[in-house]
Amino acid sequence: MYGKNIDKFRFIYTMLSKGQNEPYQKLSQLLHQWQENMAEIEPSKILAINQEVQQLFETQIINLDNSGLDQPIASKLQSYLTEIHKQLRLLNLDVAFLQTSRNPQTTKKRLANISDRLETLKGYCLSILTSS
């Protein structure tokens, strides 16, 4: 899904300052750590990690000042931020479903869904951070 947008993200990257890239790096690292440690994290702690990811996006990324970007680039970046935001909302649902699962098979499926969602989000971050 995100693969075909990589070139567009790379184009945007060349226009972002280092300060604008740092929050994406933090988000990428947090997503990576979460995914790498998924098997060791108690399902009850996943809610706290998810809240940390959501807060990082809402406080450090969504409010980045893109006023210095050319309008077409800022518009494209906004479109991608909308996609990331959508994936984060879906991640919230995945975490909520995990919290309510009681069957080990269902829990395993929910964890797999979360891992897939994290992979997608990491891909978006990587695309933004990868220079051409």
Side-chain angles (χ1 to χ4, degrees):
M1 173 188 220
Y2 59 85
K4 62 184 174 184
N5 293 322
I6 288 177
D7 290 333
K8 292 177 186 175
F9 274 117
R10 287 184 180 153
F11 177 69
I12 289 170
Y13 169 81
T14 61
M15 300 299 178
L16 298 178
S17 70
K18 181 180 178 183
Q20 288 172 306
N21 282 322
E22 288 176 13
Y24 292 104
Q25 290 172 339
K26 288 180 190 176
L27 180 62
S28 180
Q29 289 169 350
L30 189 55
L31 294 168
H32 180 75
Q33 289 171 350
W34 183 1
Q35 189 176 36
E36 287 293 310
N37 297 314
M38 182 77 75
E40 301 159 9
I41 301 172
E42 295 177 30
S44 61
K45 297 202 182 215
I46 289 179
L47 183 60
I49 296 168
N50 182 55
Q51 288 172 339
E52 184 178 356
V53 167
Q54 300 291 334
Q55 183 179 20
L56 175 65
F57 180 76
E58 291 172 7
T59 61
Q60 294 186 30
I61 294 176
I62 202 76
N63 295 320
L64 281 174
D65 180 16
N66 297 321
S67 62
L69 299 175
D70 291 338
Q71 181 55 37
I73 295 169
S75 178
K76 286 180 184 179
L77 180 58
Q78 184 58 46
S79 295
Y80 295 124
L81 286 174
T82 300
E83 285 298 313
I84 292 171
H85 190 244
K86 178 180 86 173
Q87 290 297 318
L88 288 173
R89 287 192 324 263
L90 292 170
L91 181 62
N92 269 336
L93 288 174
D94 292 335
V95 169
F97 288 144
L98 175 67
Q99 298 300 312
T100 62
S101 67
R102 301 291 176 242
N103 182 317
Q105 289 285 51
T106 305
T107 299
K108 185 176 179 179
K109 182 179 177 186
R110 302 292 185 212
L111 288 170
N113 289 347
I114 290 171
S115 184
D116 290 346
R117 188 90 50 213
L118 293 174
E119 191 65 33
T120 299
L121 286 163
K122 284 175 21 184
Y124 280 128
C125 289
L126 180 63
S127 297
I128 291 170
L129 295 169
T130 303
S131 63
S132 341

